[in-house]
Amino acid sequence: HATASSLRYLSHPTNLPTTPPAMSSLSIGSKGAPTSLKSYQLAAVTNFLSSTSDNDASKKAESNPYGGPPTTTANSSSSPWKLLIYDTHCRSIISPLLSVSRLRSLGVTLHLLLPSDREPIPDVPAVYFVQPTRENLAIVARDCSRNLYQCAHLHFSSRIERPIMEDFARLVVNTGGLQQVASVHDQFVDFCCHEENLFTLNVKESYVVYNNP
């Protein structure tokens, strides 16, 4: 049964990466290992923004300004333009890492907030970078059912829980948006790097909670 098999595919844990793409091939002390936390995060973010290229061979390596593994950029001649859709939390992750011009070099022509009113652009793929919450996934499912974009590549800032993934799978199947979902990934980059080795988890009032007797 097509619906049942599609649901099993989306909700099956083997379809989700279990290690961060930028860190999976690196170990502490290995040759060329990153020199800062920011370099890991930059590599992870730029690599998933480049992953919508139709031809992986067209990607070229660029030096990482924070040390560590090179980042990738797809040549604009062979890479489709794309949209970046993020929530406010993930916007705070992207902002210290990539300038508007750097996003454009990665093929990102527009970057929009997930909850905002967005016009259909059906001939361009969308890269979603959001927290894996039910509220966010309900909006993504609605976008897919409306065919707002050519397809949707979903990248979560942290690991998505299986019950939430299964609920999302049912939702996109029931609303007719399943064919729009091109890929689903966990990125494990749920922190904001302000400097090379200075980061915050962006937990509201965390200092007060931690220090309140």
Side-chain angles (χ1 to χ4, degrees):
H1 191 277
T3 300
S5 62
S6 300
L7 176 60
R8 285 196 298 271
Y9 174 79
L10 270 182
S11 61
H12 197 284
T14 59
N15 294 314
L16 295 175
T18 56
T19 55
M23 304 183 191
S24 58
S25 62
L26 297 170
S27 59
I28 296 176
S30 63
K31 185 177 180 180
T35 58
S36 70
L37 182 64
K38 197 168 187 175
S39 69
Y40 280 119
Q41 192 178 49
L42 177 66
V45 171
T46 54
N47 288 342
F48 81 67
L49 286 175
S50 300
S51 66
T52 57
S53 174
D54 290 331
N55 181 7
D56 288 340
S58 70
K59 294 178 185 177
K60 60 181 180 180
E62 290 191 356
S63 62
N64 189 321
Y66 305 108
T71 63
T72 58
T73 301
N75 295 333
S76 59
S77 60
S78 57
S79 172
W81 296 111
K82 69 204 77 172
L83 306 176
L84 174 62
I85 313 295
Y86 46 34
D87 57 17
T88 54
H89 177 79
C90 290
R91 179 177 62 180
S92 69
I93 294 174
I94 290 278
S95 295
L97 295 174
L98 298 168
S99 64
V100 173
S101 61
R102 182 73 174 100
L103 284 171
R104 188 170 181 82
S105 74
L106 292 165
V108 177
T109 56
L110 285 175
H111 37 96
L112 306 167
L113 281 173
L114 182 70
S116 63
D117 293 329
R118 289 172 278 113
E119 296 294 329
I121 310 178
D123 57 343
V124 178
V127 178
Y128 288 81
F129 181 39
V130 297
Q131 289 181 295
T133 65
R134 284 186 168 86
E135 294 79 8
N136 283 345
L137 289 174
I139 298 175
V140 174
R142 184 184 66 192
D143 289 353
C144 292
S145 68
R146 296 172 57 198
N147 296 320
L148 281 188
Y149 311 115
Q150 184 182 80
C151 61
H153 297 271
L154 310 184
H155 296 268
F156 301 119
S157 59
S158 60
R159 179 180 178 273
I160 184 171
E161 298 295 331
R162 184 181 179 92
I164 297 178
M165 186 68 210
E166 290 176 344
D167 288 346
F168 174 67
R170 293 188 187 95
L171 187 57
V172 293
V173 168
N174 293 336
T175 57
L178 178 63
Q179 299 305 317
Q180 292 296 109
V181 181
S183 61
V184 181
H185 306 274
D186 294 334
Q187 291 298 335
F188 302 93
V189 290
D190 199 20
F191 53 91
C192 179
C193 278
H194 293 291
E195 296 180 12
E196 291 188 22
N197 287 300
L198 174 64
F199 71 95
T200 175
L201 299 178
N202 280 347
V203 178
K204 292 183 178 179
E205 300 183 355
S206 58
Y207 182 84
V208 174
V209 172
Y210 183 77
N211 291 282
N212 190 348

